[in-house]
Amino acid sequence: MSRGGERGGSGERHGAHGRPLTLRERWEAYKNSPFLPATVLVLIVAAAAGLFAGSYTYAMANPTPHRIPAALVTQPEAARGEAFVAGMEKSLDASLELHDYPDVAEARRALDEQKVFAIVRASADGGVALDVAGASGASVAELLGKAGIEVGDATGVEVTVRDVKPLQRGDPRGLALFYISLAAVIMGFLGAIQLSVHARGLNPAERIAFTVAYALLGGFAIAAAVDWWLGAVDLPFVQSWLILAFTMFTSGMVFTMFNTLMGRWAMIPTWGVMVLLGNPSSGGAVSWPLLPSALGHIGRWLPPGASVNAQHTAVYYQGHQFVFPYLVLAAWALVSCTVFWVWRHRHPGGRARTPEHAAAAT
């Protein structure tokens, strides 16, 4: 009897398990399984891939001048000179924003301070001299030079184009500084991700300290590889190293902040701010006058754009540097550290402290 009862009981339980699940039960089971986050990740990765390609294509596929500041030194009085200036404005769709300067020295100072991207002046032979600055943006210098030659041919004006601030020989397109900044940004938040995975037990102060450590070493490695090993760009080594380290630390702390606020989905806003929006708008691959106007303004306030601007000025414009990009990096780093520290109890990492009396009793 006992065996039969056992079999009967077993059969009843088996039958209960075998009944069809309701839709609600199926949804609950799916929510509690690993398949839901896996499905969400599939959709997110697919969307991120499209957005990643789209953001770079939007910014770089068809660069169009929106506002190119240029210095005009005593507008040529001859009709041919006036025709050249008018032709340049027409060729660039009125995007050439001319500023009058009394002499070449003042105009050159404005160029060194990156207030203007070119100088238009009368040349000694009665023509027009167009001075461009490749270091301010190879794409802008190329656009201005090409337009100047074409307008000169169309108006019959003798035009001399000269690059007065050329890029270094090992970086003819001016992309090396963009790529080292990109490396610092991406490795910065990847380092923070790896700390959260492989060193989950780090307490807040320890996590910040290790972020500083890998940022300093990583920044040194990037600068050494580009300058000492490949010789692509002659960097002001210590300054470039510290800019890269500052960038890596900021990027790492941005992920840590989002990890505190959003847990395992922290990669989504980090990727959006630092890669989808930050890198295309940084002005490193395409100078800001050729970017869509919104990106040109937003990029300067994000860590990738600040890093590119600081690095670019350190390499090519020593003596005319700005504090603004450093303030942007400092602001992002400070806000990220503050959010992480204030809400550190929400961060998925860390380890519980063992009370001293409990340890002694053990």
Side-chain angles (χ1 to χ4, degrees), residues 180 183-184 187 211-225 241 244-245 248:
I180 65 174
M187 294 311 300
T211 304
V212 170
Y214 78 63
L216 286 170
L217 288 175
F220 181 88
I222 294 172
W241 165 29
L244 291 167
M248 287 188 71

Side-chain angles (χ1 to χ4, degrees), residues 168-318:
Q168 294 186 21
R169 184 174 300 177
D171 184 29
R173 300 300 302 169
L175 294 176
L177 301 185
F178 169 66
Y179 285 125
I180 65 174
S181 298
L182 176 63
V185 166
I186 292 179
M187 294 311 300
F189 66 72
L190 285 182
I193 291 172
Q194 292 305 304
L195 283 181
S196 69
V197 172
H198 299 290
R200 188 181 182 88
L202 290 175
N203 283 328
E206 297 165 344
R207 189 173 298 276
I208 293 174
F210 275 95
T211 304
V212 170
Y214 78 63
L216 286 170
L217 288 175
F220 181 88
I222 294 172
V226 172
D227 190 344
W228 297 348
W229 179 28
L230 298 176
V233 182
D234 183 16
L235 300 173
F237 192 85
V238 173
Q239 186 176 2
S240 290
W241 165 29
L242 294 179
I243 292 170
L244 291 167
F246 200 179
T247 303
M248 287 188 71
F249 175 76
T250 302
S251 182
M253 291 312 302
V254 166
F255 172 82
T256 304
M257 173 183 68
F258 285 128
N259 198 22
T260 303
L261 298 175
M262 302 182 64
R264 62 183 176 180
W265 300 111
M267 187 59 191
I268 298 173
T270 304
W271 183 262
V273 171
M274 307 300 284
V275 178
L276 292 183
L277 184 60
N279 283 322
S281 65
S282 67
V286 175
S287 298
W288 66 262
L290 304 185
L291 289 172
S293 55
L295 285 182
H297 291 293
I298 292 172
R300 304 176 199 186
W301 294 89
L302 298 177
S307 180
V308 169
N309 290 340
Q311 198 72 251
H312 175 260
T313 307
V315 173
Y316 289 108
Y317 293 93
Q318 287 286 336

Side-chain angles (χ1 to χ4, degrees), residues 66-122:
H66 296 278
R67 184 177 68 86
I68 305 178
L72 180 63
V73 180
T74 59
Q75 183 170 336
E77 296 180 0
R80 291 187 305 169
E82 294 177 358
F84 173 78
V85 172
M88 284 291 289
E89 292 182 323
K90 181 178 180 180
S91 175
L92 298 173
D93 196 21
S95 299
L96 195 65
E97 187 179 273
L98 293 171
H99 300 271
D100 290 324
Y101 287 88
D103 52 47
V104 176
E106 286 291 325
R108 182 58 189 268
R109 186 176 298 109
L111 190 74
D112 289 336
E113 294 174 353
Q114 301 181 71
K115 294 178 179 178
V116 298
F117 283 76
I119 300 172
V120 181
R121 56 187 176 84

Side-chain angles (χ1 to χ4, degrees), residues 27 30-31 33-48 264-265 268:
W27 171 243
Y30 181 66
K31 280 202 307 182
S33 74
F35 300 113
L36 176 60
T39 302
V40 173
L41 279 173
V42 167
L43 297 175
I44 289 174
V45 170
R264 62 183 176 180
W265 300 111
I268 298 173

